[in-house]
Amino acid sequence: MGIHASFEHFTRAAFGADPCAMRNSGLEAIAAPMAIERGRAAMIERSRDQIVYLLSGATKLAAAVSDDREQIVAFHFPGDIISIPADGVHSYLLAALANTEILVFPAREFFDIAAGDEAMARRLFDVLPSALHRCRDKAVALGRQNAAERLAGFLIAMAERIGRLEGSGCIIELPMSRRDISDSLGLTIETVSRQLSHLREAGLVETQGRSQVAIPNLEMLTRCAGHYAA
Amino acid sequence: MGIHASFEHFTRAAFGADPCAMRNSGLEAIAAPMAIERGRAAMIERSRDQIVYLLSGATKLAAAVSDDREQIVAFHFPGDIISIPADGVHSYLLAALANTEILVFPAREFFDIAAGDEAMARRLFDVLPSALHRCRDKAVALGRQNAAERLAGFLIAMAERIGRLEGSGCIIELPMSRRDISDSLGLTIETVSRQLSHLREAGLVETQGRSQVAIPNLEMLTRCAGHYAA
DNA sequence: CGCTTAATTGAGAGCCTTCAATCATCGTGG
DNA sequence: CCACGATGATTGAAGGCTCTCAATTAAGCG
């Protein structure tokens, strides 16, 4: 997709704004469209914060913690607006789970423009707190839940974001590998695999190939996620 | 502090705005000042997101995960702007580590006003991503670091936020208990205590009473935090 | 159909937790 | 000012959950 088509898609879908109205904002001038092949990391400037709009595909945002281990802090799907931190205590990278198209903006300039545009600001005040709250829920899972609860919570979250309902249940086509799942849940591949087997044996999920997961009863799985009600 | 004084303090400190200029924004009308005693939780509406401005004191934002365990997702100090999620998969509460004064706003109305005010929007586009990035760093720590690294990272972070420099080192007056620290790091009190003893034995920290921690050499402690450089 | 890569399963080790006891700190009252 | 008691912090021993290492099985692609 070219820069103009990408940008129009972006303004319309993300801000409900007429692209013509955004022409003079200077936003298009700082937008860098990029295509990322499945499995590759986006080549993004890491000395400053960046904002990314996900046009198509799916990505993960991960911190490198050692040569052969990472911690994924978020998965993203088309339409998502992603804030990517500059290198700090950890170094983050955005990698594609499938062939992906994105629009990259330097965060400072992006926010400068957004601060003066009510529609953009409004949308960002929806998106940023949501990302923050999701990240907090993840921190809670990583800090205080066991492997079984984390996996159940992960599947429920994926069901809500990319599952298609099927009666009282749901079918998910997972775009990420077991390694990605384990890197997201702060576990190992083996533990994820074992927990998934337990869920299978308990009849809470069924799997088809590597990526399809069926949840016959969402509520029963939700009960496994250990979400405490005060 | 009364509502007017609190509100003026807030507009000036948080947005660098002349309080008079904000008079007509309607912001003051939705501001609820509250005083929270040390150890108590703020009585805040939990069916909708809230924004809190911390005037004085110190707070923790924690998710209840069982009757006797919580996960702290952030600590806050005067001047901080805090986004508190409505009850979702977890129930969060804001509790005071010391006697605290706050200003509470319903998030939706707050953001409605902020979207039309460039100074407010600009400030929030600084604050919200910062909170998100800190939360991500916490998720990385909880998911992929061991007890020693988490405690070192915690002490370094506290040194940066509330420590006072002392030569090449730093002295911190911790406002939170060992339980709070363990609830923040996803560990137990005992593990935190043991790791702190290790740091003491290694000469990396010195403690005075329950709350004072001295770090003779910040760089050496930073090396213990296990922050991987790609 | 065979090969490569990913996922599953098993056994043993390690780190943190749990349970329990002791010690220190700090506010209170004599 | 010091003794005292209550709470918080530290230390120790044993157990559990997840990780590591290793082997096997399955999936997907040419």
Side-chain angles (χ1 to χ4, degrees), chain B residues 173-191:
Chain B
E173 206 68 45
L174 293 175
M176 69 288 283
S177 67
R178 296 287 186 275
R179 168 158 290 285
D180 288 329
I181 297 173
S182 66
D183 283 341
S184 169
L185 299 180
L187 301 168
T188 58
I189 294 177
E190 295 92 328
T191 298

Side-chain angles (χ1 to χ4, degrees), chain B residues 75-152:
Chain B
F75 291 111
H76 312 97
F77 301 101
D80 284 357
I81 293 172
I82 309 155
S83 172
I84 301 181
D87 282 354
V89 298
H90 295 108
S91 180
Y92 291 88
L93 53 84
L94 187 76
L97 302 173
N99 292 340
T100 293
E101 294 172 296
I102 61 176
L103 228 41
V104 184
F105 305 85
R108 172 183 294 236
E109 289 82 347
F110 183 87
F111 286 133
D112 274 346
I113 293 169
D117 180 312
E118 189 158 348
M120 272 184 83
R122 207 175 283 276
R123 177 88 182 109
L124 290 170
F125 289 146
D126 183 43
V127 164
L128 291 172
S130 291
L132 176 59
H133 299 170
R134 253 208 296 272
C135 188
R136 284 173 172 165
D137 286 342
K138 173 178 275 288
V140 174
L142 294 175
R144 288 286 178 231
Q145 298 192 275
N146 62 28
E149 293 168 331
R150 292 187 211 178
L151 182 59

